[in-house]
Amino acid sequence: MTGLELKEWRRAMDFTQQQAGDELGVTRATIQNWEYEITTIPVTVSLACSQLLRRRKRRPDFGPVTLIYSTIPLPNAANLADQPAALNCQRCVDNIDAFRRINELSENSAFFNPIILDDLGSAIWSGNELAKQCEHFGSASVQTRSGL
């Protein structure tokens, strides 16, 4: 991680240098030294930054997000030549909105492999963790077919 990347992470997290230092267990001056590349940023700090950002994106109110799902089981995707598009994308206000939409769609037999992405295309929720969140935030449960 470079000093510029640390600064971009800090801004994405909406942290001051002091707040970033508090989260990472270092002083504000250490954050400043890393950002100006006076000292090298340890690999553990880069990993901690990634984890903190991931945790922030998993908050229920984080958004907007994009829900992507398949209308056929993905293992069958090789036989798609003569079928309509199998992947669908829906923009959601936040994670809760996506969880509720998944619960609605899960009542349809043509709903498989949902995944929630951030604006950069990085996965926020998928698989069994996503199924648990949907159960928590909605009345219906997500079916656990084909990987979910």
Side-chain angles (χ1 to χ4, degrees):
M1 172 177 257
T2 67
L4 180 59
E5 290 169 336
L6 178 64
K7 193 171 196 171
E8 289 172 356
W9 168 83
R10 187 170 55 81
R11 287 185 176 156
M13 295 291 289
D14 197 28
F15 284 161
T16 63
Q17 287 181 335
Q18 182 64 51
Q19 291 167 321
D22 292 344
E23 283 294 316
L24 296 170
V26 298
T27 65
R28 183 207 55 78
T30 299
I31 297 293
Q32 185 176 20
N33 287 339
W34 287 340
E35 287 183 0
Y36 286 104
E37 298 184 352
I38 295 168
T39 56
T40 303
I41 301 170
V43 173
T44 54
V45 170
S46 178
L47 295 171
C49 291
S50 296
Q51 185 61 24
L52 288 168
L53 185 58
R54 183 171 188 245
R55 213 178 280 161
R56 173 165 275 201
K57 289 179 180 182
R58 285 184 157 213
R59 289 187 347 235
D61 63 342
F62 176 80
V65 296
T66 301
L67 169 62
I68 297 178
Y69 62 93
S70 174
T71 56
I72 62 168
L74 290 182
N76 297 340
N79 304 325
L80 294 179
D82 54 346
Q83 295 204 16
L87 290 179
N88 294 286
C89 298
Q90 290 186 1
R91 193 74 164 150
C92 299
V93 175
D94 55 25
N95 281 320
I96 292 176
D97 186 33
F99 300 150
R100 290 185 177 143
R101 184 67 184 136
I102 288 169
N103 284 328
E104 292 169 9
L105 291 167
S106 68
E107 296 174 8
N108 179 350
S109 62
F111 176 75
F112 302 90
N113 307 94
I115 186 169
I116 298 175
L117 305 177
D118 65 14
D119 282 344
L120 299 174
S122 298
I124 301 171
W125 293 101
S126 64
N128 289 331
E129 289 180 320
L130 176 55
K132 288 176 187 174
Q133 289 300 311
C134 291
E135 287 176 10
H136 179 73
F137 284 99
S139 56
S141 63
V142 175
Q143 298 177 16
T144 55
R145 301 186 297 246
S146 297
L148 177 67

